Amino acid sequence: MVLTKTAEDISSMRIRGAGRIARTAAAALQEHGASLDSETLAAFTHEMEEAADLLCGTRPTAVSLPNAVRYVMQGVQKAATLEEAQHALHDRATAFIHDSLAAVEKIAEIAARQIPNDAVIMTHCNSEAAIACIIRAHEQGKVREVYATEVRPRNQGYITIQMLSDAGIPVNFIVDSAARMFMPKVDLVITGTDAVTANGAVVNKIGTAQIALCAHEARKPFIVAAETYKFAPRTILGERIPIEWRPPEEVIGSEKQLPPTVTVKNPAFDVTPPAYVDLIVTEIGAFAPSYAPVVIRDHLGWDIIEFQKDYAFTHHYGE
Ligand code: RI2
């Protein structure tokens, strides 16, 4: 029950943000495992694998989700007894949630060193990792103001401006299409990410790529805050990150009738090429995007490629 509700909440974006989705999935697996009365290891593993499939099918782009599920499920899959599997599931979910929160803290600490005094920062969408960096720099007295975008169509920018305001940070709220106009006024851009590929491309909320392009044009650093579990192992094999397409109603509302020849296209994410990314800040350090394959090899492990199945995503709207 908790599992189904969690899956629905992630799908509908009541629970959103790549890190939060990952932690919520880990907690849902933990709760689900504790609620099962399976009598054998095989039955328990089967039920848990079904739960893992359900969660991984909710949203296709944020790789934090399958990475978290894989980490937790490895405890079940490597266990020799039912009791061992139950304990490993519990311990791994707890560890993932703890490590995820600790990673955000560490990223904030590392990124704050990259932020100059009296900084004007632009951010896009609502990323707990990116906001943690800005707040940490603010606590060090280094932030003059932030430009935060609206983030059509789901308006996650409203969450961002509330969080920044709660932290006492002056904010300029702008529509997405004003990013280029204000870019000359900012010192750097910081965003989060839903996935980093093996070649260092950053998959993030729609609109990120054009902001990165504007930053590149204006020679302003484009910095990405990314826990290591945002890196996508299967991209080592040349696989592409699927881009989630969401319903037209998010863009036009449910009441509006469109003219008959009009189709709404609503991709939720875009891909920023590594050439437009200056720095990726993780909990293990800050580096250029070209370091991405090393992170995948050393911090996620090649065996992750074996584990991940092809989770079919059925909610395609448009293409
Ligand atoms: P944190 C969000 O996706 C945004 O694209 C955000 O930049 C990214 O997750 C990372 O967020 P959505 O769930 O993990 O709003 O840094 O579609 O919070």
Side-chain angles (χ1 to χ4, degrees):
M1 194 59 191
V2 170
L3 180 78
T4 318
K5 170 86 169 64
T6 301
E8 280 168 14
D9 285 350
I10 295 174
S11 262
S12 65
M13 293 180 67
R14 273 190 293 276
I15 294 170
R16 55 147 297 279
R20 187 160 168 242
I21 287 171
R23 288 192 298 276
T24 306
L29 287 174
Q30 189 180 47
E31 279 194 59
H32 186 65
S35 75
L36 294 176
D37 51 10
S38 326
E39 289 178 0
T40 64
L41 175 60
F44 184 72
T45 304
H46 177 71
E47 296 239 40
M48 289 308 303
E49 281 177 346
E50 283 191 347
D53 282 356
L54 176 70
L55 290 167
C56 285
T58 52
R59 292 195 74 193
T61 301
V63 76
S64 52
L65 174 59
N67 280 350
V69 167
R70 168 242 177 204
Y71 178 79
V72 173
M73 286 298 291
Q74 270 192 342
V76 175
Q77 284 154 341
K78 288 180 176 170
T81 65
L82 176 59
E83 291 69 30
E84 207 181 295
Q86 288 165 330
H87 283 123
L89 171 68
H90 176 86
D91 293 351
R92 279 184 168 248
T94 302
F96 181 84
I97 293 164
H98 172 271
D99 291 352
S100 165
L101 294 168
V104 172
E105 289 301 307
K106 191 71 189 167
I107 287 168
E109 179 193 322
I110 296 170
R113 293 184 210 138
Q114 305 289 334
I115 296 175
N117 284 329
D118 202 30
V120 179
I121 302 170
M122 185 178 286
T123 191
H124 182 60
C125 200
N126 176 254
S127 155
E128 67 172 356
I131 289 176
C133 300
I134 297 170
I135 291 177
R136 184 66 61 91
H138 168 70
E139 287 164 357
Q140 296 171 0
K142 298 206 284 189
V143 177
R144 176 158 28 121
E145 59 184 5
V146 172
Y147 283 83
T149 49
E150 187 180 23
V151 196
R152 284 275 294 146
R154 299 283 302 214
N155 298 326
Q156 288 99 324
Y158 284 87
I159 309 170
T160 295
I161 60 173
Q162 187 64 56
M163 290 168 77
L164 293 173
S165 179
D166 289 348
I169 299 171
V171 182
N172 303 289
F173 191 40
I174 60 172
V175 296
D176 301 342
S177 42
R180 186 169 184 244
M181 176 164 176
F182 290 107
M183 191 58 74
K185 295 187 182 300
V186 313
D187 296 303
L188 68 148
V189 179
I190 301 182
T191 72
T193 182
D194 294 80
V196 179
T197 69
N199 71 343
V202 166
V203 184
N204 194 46
K205 184 56 53 189
I206 192 77
T208 303
Q210 60 198 20
I211 291 175
L213 186 60
C214 297
H216 186 73
E217 175 195 45
R219 297 180 61 81
K220 304 298 169 99
F222 185 86
I223 299 175
V224 176
E227 303 89 317
T228 49
Y229 61 78
K230 306 271 180 74
F231 287 69
R234 288 176 65 112
T235 59
I236 289 276
L237 305 175
E239 198 172 285
R240 292 186 178 172
I241 301 288
I243 299 293
E244 177 182 6
W245 285 67
R246 296 194 58 86
E249 292 74 31
E250 287 188 348
V251 178
I252 53 154
S254 42
E255 295 88 37
K256 255 189 211 139
Q257 281 285 334
L258 282 177
T261 62
V262 177
T263 305
V264 174
K265 294 189 186 282
N266 183 20
F269 301 98
D270 61 23
V271 182
T272 298
Y276 301 142
V277 178
D278 294 286
L279 195 68
I280 302 178
V281 183
T282 74
E283 73 276 18
I284 56 163
F287 36 76
S290 55
Y291 199 72
V294 180
V295 175
I296 292 174
R297 186 192 62 199
D298 293 352
H299 294 275
L300 294 168
W302 297 112
D303 62 327
I304 198 168
I305 292 165
E306 299 305 318
F307 172 80
Q308 289 188 356
K309 299 173 191 160
D310 289 321
Y311 292 106
F313 184 68
T314 49
H315 305 100
H316 284 293
Y317 300 94
E319 289 166 8

